[in-house]
Amino acid sequence: MVLEATMICIDNSEWMRNGDYAPNRFQAQADAVNIICGAKTQSNPENTVGVLTMAGKGVRVLVTPTSDLGKILACMHGLEIGGEMNLAAGIQVAQLALKHRQNKKQQQRIIVFAGSPIKHDKKMLEMIGRKLKKNSVALDIVDFGEEDDGKPEKLEALLSAVNNNDTSHIVHVPAGPNALSDVLINTPIFTRDGEGGSGFAAAAAAAAAGGVSGFDFGVDPNLDPELALALRVSMEEERARQEAAAKKAAEEAAKEKGGEQQPASQDTTMTEGPSASASEAENKKDDLMDDENALLQRALAMSMDDTTSSHDVRDTDMSEAAADDPDLQLALQLSVQDSAKEGNDVSKLLADQSFVSSILATLPGVDPNDPSVKDLLASMQNQSEQKKDEDKGPDGDEKK
């Protein structure tokens, strides 16, 4: 790729109001300038382009060489048309602007749009051409509009003076139905040496011929990068919006489907839940009752075992102790005899009716002559007599 710094000289004289180029000379020139600026910046990202006007109150630099295409295109709006074109001054100012470029490795080029008569003579233009050649500045000339007063010959002489190894070019564009930019696309200004915006020129030519179907959205990004970028961003936003809407619809459908299944499962759970809880409660109740009964039975058994075992243990201990100690055995026998003797004495006292009557007379509220009391005493006496008879042996002796 060619690394260049380019200055474009625009003719904004009164002659630019003519309508022999659609829609008029100035607008046709502006369209061609836009295409050239796009081609230069697209061919190499480090290329820079500047713009100046050659008519009006004087030569005026609209923008110094820059790679910002938006800034270059914006400077074309609102230009004033008037006065006469000063070709010599415009070329000299453009050369001075290129001399102060930031990247000194860039090749220098000036593109001149001449659409009005040239007041300078041929010698002066040849001198300017030789100066450009000396400073290694290439020159491209676009000749359109007026052709009187030897204008083509003067421009040819300028080109001959500046041309070096066919690096400079001139294009004569006659008035006609074709736009100025359409004619320039197929000229060496775009296609020189197979570089310098040839791809852009081919794209622009296809667009001009109506073959824009190869570009997204039908817009060539080289011709209108801002519009192409805006369309691409808009398409991406719309695609993202559609994807979000489809995702949301799928989530809602899945949510509704899950909501229909959930109530059925909840109903089943609710119907199974009470029965399960009731059965569990009954089982727990039965288990508790069984546990309580088992514990009660076990406690009773243990109490009975303890009582029997305690008596057995006590009797066993007493017998074992008596066997070991004769004195203890004698004491146990005496205590048993005393208890039996006391029982006999009590029986004898109860058998004495006069003694019992005297005792009952001393008790408050008791009448010994009461028939019920007498019957009670008689029964007690009979029991005592029966016990005496039982204590006597078969031979009439008392049991000891």
Side-chain angles (χ1 to χ4, degrees), residues 73 200 219-229:
L73 299 178
F200 183 87
V219 177
D220 183 7
N222 295 319
L223 295 176
D224 197 343
E226 294 179 352
L227 178 59
L229 179 61

Side-chain angles (χ1 to χ4, degrees), residues 204-216:
V212 296
S213 59
F215 301 106
D216 294 337

Side-chain angles (χ1 to χ4, degrees), residues 71-303:
K71 187 177 181 181
I72 297 169
L73 299 178
C75 73
M76 297 294 296
H77 298 286
L79 290 179
E80 296 180 357
I81 299 176
E84 295 182 357
M85 178 184 66
N86 190 344
L87 180 60
I91 292 175
Q92 291 175 356
V93 172
Q95 181 184 0
L96 184 62
L98 292 174
K99 184 179 179 180
H100 293 86
R101 65 191 183 281
Q102 293 181 352
N103 189 357
K104 300 300 182 181
K105 294 183 179 180
Q106 292 174 328
Q107 298 181 11
Q108 305 174 74
R109 181 173 295 276
I110 298 175
I111 300 177
V112 176
F113 283 85
S116 57
I118 298 175
K119 60 181 181 180
H120 306 291
D121 56 10
K122 189 181 295 186
K123 291 183 180 180
M124 184 177 183
L125 294 177
E126 289 176 353
M127 182 181 64
I128 294 173
R130 287 192 294 269
K131 187 176 181 181
L132 293 176
K133 183 178 181 179
K134 180 179 178 180
N135 294 320
S136 301
V137 179
L139 179 65
D140 290 333
I141 302 173
V142 179
D143 179 19
F144 70 104
E146 301 298 325
E147 297 181 359
D148 297 337
D149 299 332
K151 175 185 173 185
E153 290 77 7
K154 293 180 180 179
L155 294 177
E156 290 289 348
L158 174 61
L159 180 65
S160 299
V162 71
N163 195 9
N164 184 17
N165 296 327
D166 199 20
T167 56
S168 301
H169 309 87
I170 186 171
V171 178
H172 301 281
V173 183
N178 295 328
L180 182 60
S181 58
D182 297 342
V183 176
L184 293 177
I185 285 173
N186 297 319
T187 62
I189 294 177
F190 282 89
T191 61
R192 65 180 180 279
D193 301 331
E195 296 181 280
S198 59
F200 183 87
V212 296
S213 59
F215 301 106
D216 294 337
F217 323 112
V219 177
D220 183 7
N222 295 319
L223 295 176
D224 197 343
E226 294 179 352
L227 178 59
L229 179 61
L231 291 173
R232 186 177 294 106
V233 171
S234 178
M235 187 194 69
E236 293 294 336
E237 291 178 353
E238 179 65 18
R239 184 180 300 163
R241 186 189 66 79
Q242 292 178 358
E243 291 178 356
K247 185 177 180 181
K248 185 177 180 181
E251 291 177 355
E252 290 179 354
K255 188 175 181 181
E256 291 177 359
K257 186 176 180 181
E260 292 177 357
Q261 295 178 354
Q262 186 174 4
S265 61
Q266 288 181 353
D267 294 340
T268 306
T269 305
M270 290 178 68
T271 55
E272 293 177 355
S275 60
S277 60
S279 61
E280 289 178 359
E282 292 177 357
N283 294 332
K284 288 182 179 179
K285 186 176 180 180
D286 296 338
D287 294 340
L288 290 174
M289 292 178 67
D290 295 340
D291 294 341
E292 291 177 356
N293 293 331
L295 291 173
L296 181 59
Q297 293 176 2
R298 184 177 180 185
L300 292 174
M302 291 176 66
S303 63

